[in-house]
Amino acid sequence: MSRIGKAFDHGKAFIAFVTGGDPDIDTTEKLIYTMEEAGADLIEIGVPFSDPIAEGIVIQEANERALLAGCTTDKLFEMVAKVREKVQVPLVFLTYINPIYTYGKDKFMLKCKETGVDGIIVPDLPFEEKEELEPDCLKYGVDLISLIAPTSNERIRMIAEQAKGFIYCVSSMGVTGVRSEIKTDINSMIQLVRESTAVPCAVGFGISTTEQAAKFATLSDGAIVGSAIVKIVAQYGKNSEKPVYDYVKAMKEAVRNCNY
């Protein structure tokens, strides 16, 4: 089992997201320590990019702040190598195909292996085109995380059967962002996944409250939260450690105590 799978070894997982370099690289490093301490079972780090097409305004603005602050892919790799000396939970990059090609596919995956990045999520890489990256991922032991969406329909089984690490179940149509209500039939999606694979499945896109986290963790193997954490960072900047800690701790407790 990859290190990513171990995030689900102790019950329902809480997966936290932070945009790398927002408001600066030092704060990102501190937030990773903080989120692990607060109970995050896996941490996603967004690689800042000028055109993050799957992101809503909150994460778009975080990307802009990070780029303006001088964050680069190399600086993120250096930071991850540093935190990996202390952090035990799996670390996953969320990025887009363009930054990987610009960096060089082989070089990017090699750096993931060397620095301790366990997997990558690439929202603009369709399942049918995963051969663009999968051989390089396999070469260096980096899990290419699959996404399933409400529109995946008959493709869900096919995607699930070939999934690595965990499956990212997209709860809502559209871009990332906090949603007051999520109406997607997540239960049917999860049932199809579970009929096809033992790989864990966590739900993300739009989750922001403890009630939502508990609800979707009950249906799946865990909850993923991004925009709500990024909003806290936007509000508190370099002083966001304590509010992020409190938020992640509350969300982890909600996930841990949900009805199985």
Side-chain angles (χ1 to χ4, degrees):
M1 181 190 288
S2 71
R3 180 155 44 194
I4 289 176
K6 292 177 182 175
F8 300 86
D9 278 355
H10 307 291
K12 306 287 183 169
F14 179 69
I15 298 173
F17 170 91
V18 64
T19 300
D22 174 36
D24 56 43
I25 202 82
D26 291 338
T27 302
T28 301
E29 180 184 341
K30 291 173 186 173
L31 287 173
I32 292 170
Y33 300 139
T34 295
M35 292 192 294
E36 181 185 48
E37 186 184 345
D41 299 288
L42 184 151
I43 297 170
E44 295 177 12
I45 305 163
V47 178
F49 177 46
S50 57
D51 191 24
I53 57 172
E55 313 300 353
I57 191 67
V58 171
I59 297 179
Q60 282 181 29
E61 290 177 349
N63 275 262
E64 289 172 14
R65 289 192 298 270
L67 292 169
L68 284 170
C71 185
T72 64
T73 305
D74 274 327
K75 286 180 181 176
L76 271 189
F77 275 128
E78 287 170 17
M79 184 270 295
V80 170
K82 198 172 167 186
V83 302
R84 186 41 91 198
E85 294 175 7
K86 302 177 185 176
V87 169
Q88 299 300 310
V89 298
L91 300 173
V92 170
F93 269 170
L94 188 147
T95 186
Y96 290 82
I97 195 78
N98 188 283
I100 294 174
Y101 273 127
T102 302
Y103 199 86
K105 291 192 295 179
D106 190 82
K107 182 183 172 188
F108 188 92
M109 301 311 166
L110 173 61
K111 289 291 275 187
C112 285
K113 179 183 179 182
E114 289 176 345
T115 58
V117 176
D118 301 295
I120 58 169
I121 300 168
V122 187
D124 61 343
L125 179 71
F127 172 77
E128 287 78 8
E129 296 172 24
K130 68 179 185 145
E131 284 303 311
E132 292 286 340
L133 293 180
E134 191 168 57
D136 303 276
C137 289
L138 290 170
K139 179 179 176 182
Y140 294 109
V142 177
D143 285 341
L144 180 58
I145 308 299
S146 297
L147 294 98
I148 58 169
T151 53
S152 295
N153 300 324
E154 69 280 354
R155 296 165 69 247
I156 290 176
R157 291 182 191 277
M158 182 172 62
I159 295 169
E161 285 169 1
Q162 298 181 43
K164 301 273 196 309
F166 78 95
I167 297 168
Y168 193 129
C169 179
V170 177
S171 67
S172 309
M173 299 293 288
V175 295
T176 58
V178 172
R179 287 169 172 79
S180 58
E181 197 174 7
I182 299 171
K183 296 181 178 178
T184 307
D185 184 5
I186 299 293
N187 200 26
S188 296
M189 293 169 68
I190 302 296
Q191 282 180 341
L192 282 173
V193 169
R194 288 192 164 145
E195 288 169 12
S196 309
T197 183
V199 172
C201 184
V203 181
F205 267 60
I207 296 173
S208 62
T209 67
T210 52
E211 292 78 15
Q212 288 172 332
K215 174 186 174 183
F216 290 113
T218 300
L219 296 174
S220 68
D221 298 302
I224 307 165
V225 174
S227 292
I229 294 171
V230 176
K231 281 180 82 170
I232 296 171
V233 178
Q235 181 179 352
Y236 293 95
K238 295 180 183 180
N239 301 311
S240 53
E241 285 175 76
K242 177 67 165 63
V244 167
Y245 176 89
D246 292 342
Y247 179 81
V248 171
K249 189 170 188 291
M251 295 295 273
K252 173 58 185 177
E253 285 175 3
V255 167
R256 182 190 291 124
N257 298 325
C258 72
N259 298 316
Y260 276 63

